[in-house]
Amino acid sequence: MKNGNEGAIPAPAAETRERPTLKTIAFMTGLGITTVSRALKDAPDIGAETKERVRMVARQLGYQPNRAGVRLRTGKTNVIALVLSIDEEIMGFSNQMVFGISEVLSNTPYHIVVTPHSHSKDPMLPIRYILETGSADGVIISRTEPDDPRVRLLVEQNMPFATHGRTDCGLMHPYHDYDNEAFARQAVERLVKRGRRRIALLQPPSKLTYYTHTRNGFLSALHQAGAEEVPLRVTIDSPLADIRDAVEALMRSDNAPDGIVCSAGSGAIAVNAGIEAAGRHVGRDIDLVSKQSIPILNWIRPEIITAFEDVRESGRELASAVIARIDGAAPEQLQSISLPVWPDA
């Protein structure tokens, strides 16, 4: 009696594609493994033509260095960790930052790993995780505080890092920052030139370093012009619906401002909605100034006065700084500040 499976054609084995290795590239190019390895590391004793041939084959094969192997051989991960806020983001800030960092890292052995974090949670958690697991060679952080415990810990642990924003804790470290003091001062000056005298500020939360920079620029310009601040009881960290409601209530009150400065583009959208909900119009009843990292605000309301913050360039500066710090550059040589760019300047 025949078995029911007798004569059946066996199912073909599932195809598996092996991960390309240095040995694979060596076989394809006819070179030695050591030569291939040194060519990929841009060793000076390897000819340019050989390097290009090795790189071309590596690209065609989709070769990526095995991180575990790299770490065993060198003690390095070739990873830069970007600790990034996952909170409400509608103006492309995070994307622009990642793009800028990636542009620099694409020409290096390093890769970016985004470590998401909510600003409502303990900011030390992702830093401790990175340090305890040894999962990165360098770190980029943002939303800096004057006496930032993350900066203190990273310095104590001798971990290369760069910050988007400055600190005021007496520790020298790499940073790139936007000149928020200049932005706030110039924003008020533009409002005053339009005859605005009662000006509100949608400011950063007071725990962040750039709160002080923003307030200093705002108040100095008000004092210089003899203009008056109208208090606004929300910050850029407030939910957008709360910002909208607060602005609507303020615009309906007897204490309504005739100008508003916004420290964040997403907040400006909520401010504009609040102004319109109160039956007022930007450019007629009130003027609105905001910074932005991508040109969206003027699509929504052309009358909004905008300054450009080049967040992609910030990403490039931060990536370059943290790599240079890994290579031993002094932190005081890795500090930069970008200025506001006004379309009418």
Side-chain angles (χ1 to χ4, degrees):
M1 183 176 177
K2 291 186 177 181
N3 184 298
N5 291 326
E6 189 175 333
I9 299 173
E15 288 188 10
T16 58
R17 186 171 183 266
E18 291 186 5
R19 179 190 181 107
T21 64
L22 292 175
K23 187 175 181 180
T24 314
I25 300 173
F27 175 78
M28 297 291 290
T29 58
L31 299 169
I33 293 175
T34 302
T35 302
V36 167
S37 176
R38 293 182 61 74
L40 289 172
K41 292 175 183 174
D42 201 26
D45 59 327
I46 304 296
E49 184 178 339
T50 300
K51 288 178 185 176
E52 181 54 35
R53 181 156 56 105
V54 169
R55 288 170 184 158
M56 182 182 69
V57 172
R59 284 194 300 270
Q60 290 173 343
L61 293 173
Y63 169 77
Q64 291 292 335
N66 184 294
R67 288 185 190 171
V70 170
R71 187 170 180 178
L72 283 172
R73 291 193 304 274
T74 67
K76 296 182 65 175
T77 63
N78 285 347
V79 167
I80 304 297
L82 170 63
V83 181
L84 198 60
S85 172
I86 58 173
D87 295 285
E88 200 163 45
E89 167 64 76
I90 60 174
M91 290 295 289
F93 183 97
S94 302
N95 287 342
Q96 294 300 309
M97 177 70 72
V98 171
F99 287 155
I101 294 170
S102 299
E103 285 173 358
V104 171
L105 299 189
S106 65
N107 298 316
T108 75
Y110 293 99
H111 302 269
I112 182 174
V113 171
V114 177
T115 302
H117 179 66
S118 172
H119 64 67
S120 62
K121 303 290 179 63
D122 180 4
M124 295 296 290
L125 290 176
I127 305 303
R128 290 196 192 101
Y129 174 83
I130 292 166
L131 290 170
E132 289 169 3
T133 59
S135 53
D137 296 329
V139 181
I140 297 172
I141 61 175
S142 61
R143 293 179 59 86
T144 52
E145 301 177 10
D147 188 8
D148 201 307
R150 299 171 300 171
V151 168
R152 290 194 175 277
L153 182 59
L154 289 165
V155 169
E156 288 170 6
Q157 297 296 315
N158 200 30
M159 167 65 82
F161 71 98
T163 63
H164 187 223
R166 286 165 277 176
T167 60
D168 190 23
C169 55
L171 295 173
M172 190 69 66
H173 63 84
Y175 66 75
H176 178 78
D177 202 3
Y178 179 75
D179 195 337
N180 288 284
E181 183 169 348
F183 162 72
R185 182 179 66 252
Q186 293 166 9
V188 171
E189 290 170 352
R190 279 164 169 73
L191 290 172
V192 169
K193 282 183 181 178
R194 293 169 181 253
R196 306 308 187 182
R197 312 295 297 177
R198 295 172 44 75
I199 302 172
L201 172 64
L202 181 65
Q203 60 196 12
S206 59
K207 67 180 181 179
L208 301 182
T209 307
Y210 83 103
Y211 164 84
T212 300
H213 301 157
T214 302
R215 292 291 302 173
N216 287 347
F218 181 75
L219 293 175
S220 67
L222 287 182
H223 177 75
Q224 183 72 26
E228 172 188 357
E229 179 179 7
V230 177
L232 183 56
R233 305 300 182 189
V234 285
T235 74
I236 60 171
D237 274 6
S238 302
L240 295 182
D242 290 356
I243 296 173
R244 176 201 173 281
D245 293 345
V247 170
E248 179 184 358
L250 184 61
M251 294 305 298
R252 292 184 183 277
S253 74
D254 295 333
N255 193 36
D258 57 14
I260 299 179
V261 176
C262 290
S263 293
S266 55
I269 294 174
V271 168
N272 178 69
I275 291 169
E276 293 185 349
R280 306 293 182 90
H281 298 278
V282 172
R284 187 187 71 192
D285 308 303
I286 184 172
D287 279 308
L288 174 59
V289 185
S290 180
K291 60 179 178 178
Q292 61 179 352
S293 57
I294 52 176
I296 286 181
L297 291 177
N298 299 116
W299 298 352
I300 297 169
R301 180 62 59 196
E303 295 83 1
I304 298 175
I305 304 163
T306 57
F308 179 58
E309 178 180 4
D310 193 342
V311 177
R312 184 174 292 201
E313 175 62 20
S314 298
R316 289 192 287 264
E317 289 285 335
L318 290 166
S320 298
V322 77
I323 291 173
R325 187 68 182 128
I326 290 171
D327 292 339
E332 58 268 24
Q333 299 173 350
L334 306 173
Q335 300 172 337
S336 57
I337 299 175
S338 61
L339 296 173
V341 178
W342 300 90
D344 58 353

